[in-house]
């Protein structure tokens, strides 16, 4: 839809729809080779693989991290009718290389397990072609949003496990309403797990505060150990306060802990 390889850019009051494809990733808005700042406000944003993506290809500019990003008051959605199609579907918002991001006051809806496990919001640093070891996801605040009708919600990764990256740090998730997180948002051969959050491979300073969550998966928040590079199991600085969470089979589950 729109490639944000630019400096100071605003996308406001716009309608972006029907961005879709089979056997390839498609994005309504994607940026990987521009510094920002970026304002994405009061839009209808519809894309199959990722509705909004930062990163995903290594920047050609050394040490570049897209920064000072505001995503506010948008409807970020996929048509439910696409569940019966063969389009590649992954996430609603994905940060692979981003610094200082505010995600505020949005409605994020309709994401299912297909091309991936169906996590709606993904904070995972990716040194995609192994040419950008400075890749990082840090200083992200997500607040006052509604997330609904999804297979799972957050996937937070500390380090890229395929190539060197910097550490994910300072993620604050607060005052969000999250409901209808369900294993029913699955496609043939691609089961959704119904989890609120999965966190691993060594991020630090992750806060969940004052969120209301209704999910039907076995687990609500899951911590796991290292997947490879670097060899780390610690996840320091986790704060989980003032939330309304379901216990289901396991409320908060730690792999081997």
């Amino acid at each position: 839809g729109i490639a944000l390889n630019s400096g100071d850019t605003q996308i406001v009051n716009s309608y972006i729809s029907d961005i879709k494809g089979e056997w390839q990733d498609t994005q309504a808005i994607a940026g990987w080779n521009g510094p920002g700042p970026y304002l994405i406000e009061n839009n209808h944003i519809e894309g199959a693989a990722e509705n909004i993506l930062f990163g995903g290809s290594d920047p050609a500019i050394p040490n570049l991290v897209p920064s000072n990003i505001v995503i506010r008051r948008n409807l970020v959605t996929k048509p439910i009718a696409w569940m019966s199609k063969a389009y590649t579907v992954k996430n609603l918002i994905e940060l692979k290389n981003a610094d200082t991001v505010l995600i505020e006051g949005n409605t994020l809806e309709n994401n299912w397990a297909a091309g991936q496990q169906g996590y709606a919001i993904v904070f995972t640093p990716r040194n995609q072609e192994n040419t950008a070891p400075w890749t990082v996801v840090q200083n992200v605040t997500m607040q006052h949003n509604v997330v609904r009708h999804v297979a799972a919600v957050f996937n937070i990764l500390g380090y890229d496990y395929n190539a060197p990256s910097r550490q994910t740090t300072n993620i604050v998730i607060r005052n969000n309403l999250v409901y209808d997180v369900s294993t029913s948002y699955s496609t043939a051969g691609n089961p959704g797990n119904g989890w609120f959050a999965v966190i691993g491979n060594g991020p630090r300073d992750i806060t969940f505060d004052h969120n209301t969550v209704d999910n039907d998966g076995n687990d609500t928040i899951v911590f796991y150990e290292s997947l490879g590079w670097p060899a780390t199991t610690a996840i320091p600085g986790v704060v989980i306060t003032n939330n309304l969470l379901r216990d289901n089979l396991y409320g908060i589950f730690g792999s081997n802990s």
Side-chain angles (χ1 to χ4, degrees):
I2 299 174
L4 279 180
N5 296 319
S6 57
D8 192 346
T9 307
Q10 300 184 5
I11 302 172
V12 297
N13 306 331
S14 300
Y15 194 99
I16 306 166
S17 67
D18 212 32
I19 310 297
K20 62 187 188 292
E22 298 182 13
W23 306 109
Q24 62 178 328
D25 281 15
T26 54
Q27 296 93 25
I29 300 172
W32 62 94
N33 198 42
Y38 300 115
L39 173 65
I40 302 170
E41 184 167 24
N42 197 40
N43 306 287
H44 177 107
I45 302 172
E46 179 184 298
E50 299 93 8
N51 298 55
I52 301 173
L53 169 67
F54 283 94
S57 292
D58 288 352
I61 302 169
N63 299 310
L64 185 139
V65 178
S67 301
N68 301 305
I69 301 163
V70 176
I71 302 169
R72 180 189 289 130
R73 295 198 306 116
N74 302 282
L75 174 62
V76 182
T77 186
K78 305 183 197 293
I80 284 291
W82 287 1
M83 281 191 72
S84 61
K85 307 296 183 181
Y87 307 134
T88 299
V89 170
K90 292 186 176 180
N91 321 113
L92 295 173
I93 295 178
E94 182 168 14
L95 303 181
K96 291 184 170 183
N97 189 24
D99 183 7
T100 311
V101 183
L102 175 64
I103 304 169
E104 182 178 59
N106 304 278
T107 297
L108 304 112
E109 65 178 16
N110 302 347
N111 200 75
W112 52 91
Q116 292 180 346
Q117 293 176 288
Y119 288 98
I121 301 139
V122 178
F123 302 148
T124 55
R126 298 293 185 191
N127 178 3
Q128 203 80 29
E129 287 92 37
N130 197 14
T131 63
W134 61 83
T135 296
V136 70
V137 176
Q138 64 183 6
N139 304 320
V140 179
T141 299
M142 179 167 173
Q143 61 187 12
H144 311 311
N145 301 277
V146 174
V147 183
R148 62 191 183 188
H149 317 318
V150 298
V153 187
F154 291 101
N155 183 356
I156 301 173
L157 181 74
Y159 293 90
D160 188 353
Y161 46 76
N162 293 315
S165 75
R166 292 163 61 196
Q167 182 184 34
T168 297
T169 186
N170 191 27
I171 308 296
V172 178
I173 298 165
R174 64 187 175 209
N175 296 334
N176 299 287
L177 172 62
V178 179
Y179 67 92
D180 193 26
V181 180
S182 176
T183 58
S184 66
Y185 293 104
S186 302
T187 55
N190 297 288
N193 60 32
W195 294 355
F196 173 57
V198 62
I199 305 163
N201 216 42
R204 67 175 304 122
D205 299 334
I206 311 297
T207 297
F208 294 94
D209 181 64
H210 206 266
N211 301 284
T212 297
V213 181
D214 187 17
N215 69 303
D216 69 8
N218 285 341
D219 308 318
T220 297
I221 298 177
V222 176
F223 297 95
Y224 65 89
E225 296 181 357
S226 174
L227 292 174
W229 190 98
T232 180
T233 59
I235 306 176
V238 174
V239 178
I240 303 174
T241 49
N242 307 311
N243 301 282
L244 182 62
L245 306 174
R246 283 199 175 276
D247 183 46
N248 297 337
L249 185 60
Y250 299 99
I252 299 174
F253 179 85
S255 175
N256 295 323
S257 62

